[in-house]
């Protein structure tokens, strides 16, 4: 590979991205996430932006080789804690191979506690409507995963998803509403549904109205009325000292769950949640994680 295959502008962007990747140290963050799972012991965990990153710049004469498989790292951390979380479903979303030697593949995934959850059927798929190819080698797809389960003898359907974000100043509320409408239609016949994830839109959005109009309850709004509960976003390198969040875009929705009992909280939004990083303290994720106990 010759250096002229990488324009100077691309090298600058790539160098910054590699620096951020190092500063945000996913293996260390996976320890914090695994600790949170060990504390809460959720029966089901929905994960978004579960990446596999491969970078090999040795062809440029640069000693840079990176391989990170986020899911494998997290599952290893859970196993170290004696926890038995199995992969119930996974879907491949964004793929980015913008230059030779560089690959990022993004997934949604769902883990279930193998000791307490029986999975009957599960799967994942991309939304029927997506942005698509935005540059050579870069395709923006979003998707969702589901698992139809039995817990303590009762059936529950769990859904975890990642709806599209706004792009280049364009507000894609209509696209997100279509994506959520697709999910709602697919689980319309399921009696008890728990839907979680990064919905990328606020409680006043059309997306939110699609869900509430289909009989879904926004668990945060139901259990913590009057509490704003912003979840997004930390700085890209996770270096901010306090969570200066401005949006609530991460949710748990339910339908057919007896309520309004239970509790809902966040993880990764108070300074005590930060951990030591290679260059500075870092947060476990760029969003706060939502935890819910339902009954």
């Amino acid at each position: 590979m010759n250096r002229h295959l990488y324009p100077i502008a691309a090298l600058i962007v790539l160098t910054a991205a590699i620096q951020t990747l190092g500063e945000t140290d996913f293996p260390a963050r996976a320890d914090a996430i695994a600790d949170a799972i060990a504390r809460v012991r959720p029966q089901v965990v929905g994960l978004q932006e579960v990446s596999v990153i491969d970078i090999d710049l040795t062809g440029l004469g640069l000693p840079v080789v990176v391989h990170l498989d986020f899911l494998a790292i997290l599952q290893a951390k859970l196993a170290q804690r004696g926890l038995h979380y199995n992969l119930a479903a996974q879907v491949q979303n964004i793929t980015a191979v913008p230059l030779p030697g560089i690959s990022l593949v993004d997934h949604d995934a769902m883990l279930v506690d193998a000791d307490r959850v029986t999975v009957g059927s599960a799967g994942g798929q991309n939304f029927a409507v997506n942005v698509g190819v935005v540059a050579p080698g870069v395709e923006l797809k979003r998707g969702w995963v589901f698992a139809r389960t039995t817990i303590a003898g009762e059936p529950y359907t769990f859904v975890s998803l990642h709806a599209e974000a706004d792009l280049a100043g364009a507000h894609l509320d209509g696209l997100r509403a279509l994506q959520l409408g697709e999910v709602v239609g697919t689980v319309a016949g399921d009696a008890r549904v728990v839907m979680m994830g990064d919905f990328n839109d606020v409680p006043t959005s059309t997306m939110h109205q699609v869900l509430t109009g289909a009989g879904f309850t926004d668990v945060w709004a139901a259990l913590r009325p009057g509490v704003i509960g912003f979840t997004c976003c930390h700085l890209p390198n996770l270096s901010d000292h306090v969570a200066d969040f401005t949006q609530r875009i991460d949710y748990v929705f339910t339908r057919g769950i007896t309520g309004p009992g239970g509790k809902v909280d966040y993880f990764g939004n108070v300074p005590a949640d930060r951990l030591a990083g290679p260059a500075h303290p870092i947060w476990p994720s760029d969003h706060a994680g939502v935890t819910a106990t339902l009954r």
Side-chain angles (χ1 to χ4, degrees), residues 201-203 220 224 226-234 243-251 265-270 286-290:
D201 222 332
V202 297
W220 182 273
R224 303 189 69 170
V227 180
I228 294 174
F230 290 152
T231 63
C232 180
C233 295
H234 292 300
D244 189 20
F245 291 165
T246 59
Q247 296 177 303
R248 183 163 76 92
I249 62 175
D250 304 273
Y251 302 87
D265 206 346
Y266 290 145
F267 164 67
N269 62 317
V270 297
D286 61 333
H287 294 213
V290 184

Side-chain angles (χ1 to χ4, degrees), residues 165-183:
D166 292 338
L167 300 170
H171 188 61
L172 301 181
D173 184 31
L175 174 61
R176 286 186 286 273
L178 289 173
Q179 292 176 336
L180 267 296
E182 177 183 333
V183 179

Side-chain angles (χ1 to χ4, degrees), residues 39-137:
R39 287 193 302 272
V40 178
R41 288 302 307 276
Q43 286 146 319
V44 178
V45 180
L47 302 166
Q48 300 81 46
E49 295 185 357
V50 184
S51 299
V52 178
I53 300 172
D54 285 291
I55 301 172
D56 186 345
L57 302 184
T58 55
L60 285 174
L62 301 175
V64 178
V65 178
V66 177
H67 173 71
L68 288 172
D69 184 331
F70 284 18
L71 182 60
I73 292 168
L74 177 59
Q75 286 189 289
K77 302 290 187 182
L78 292 169
Q80 289 170 6
R81 289 157 176 78
L83 302 176
H84 307 131
Y85 280 88
N86 292 341
L87 178 65
Q90 182 174 244
V91 63
Q92 180 176 306
N93 291 331
I94 293 173
T95 56
V97 188
L99 295 166
I102 303 168
S103 171
L104 181 147
V105 181
D106 167 79
H107 303 83
D108 290 340
M110 183 183 292
L111 302 179
V112 299
D113 185 338
D115 297 328
R116 295 181 293 161
V117 179
T118 300
V119 177
S121 63
Q125 63 191 67
N126 296 120
F127 294 114
V129 181
N130 274 299
V131 172
V133 176
V134 296

Side-chain angles (χ1 to χ4, degrees), residues 6 10-25 53-58 60 62-66 68 101-102 237 278:
Y6 283 78
L11 282 173
I12 293 172
V13 171
L14 178 59
T15 299
I18 292 172
Q19 179 178 340
T20 299
L21 189 63
E23 288 182 14
T24 55
D25 192 357
I53 300 172
D54 285 291
I55 301 172
D56 186 345
L57 302 184
T58 55
L60 285 174
L62 301 175
V64 178
V65 178
V66 177
L68 288 172
I102 303 168
N237 68 352

Side-chain angles (χ1 to χ4, degrees), residues 189-229:
D190 295 60
R192 298 185 184 91
V193 182
V194 179
M195 192 181 303
M196 66 193 92
D198 178 356
F199 292 69
N200 262 321
D201 222 332
V202 297
T204 56
S205 65
T206 306
M207 175 280 300
H208 197 279
Q209 293 167 13
V210 167
L211 287 164
T212 55
F216 282 86
T217 298
D218 178 343
V219 172
W220 182 273
L223 296 182
R224 303 189 69 170
V227 180
I228 294 174

Side-chain angles (χ1 to χ4, degrees), residues 247-285:
Q247 296 177 303
R248 183 163 76 92
I249 62 175
D250 304 273
Y251 302 87
V252 174
F253 286 92
T254 63
R255 192 189 65 211
I257 307 294
T258 302
K263 63 181 180 179
V264 62
D265 206 346
Y266 290 145
F267 164 67
N269 62 317
V270 297
D273 291 333
R274 294 200 301 166
L275 57 142
H280 47 72
I282 55 178
W283 298 90
S285 175

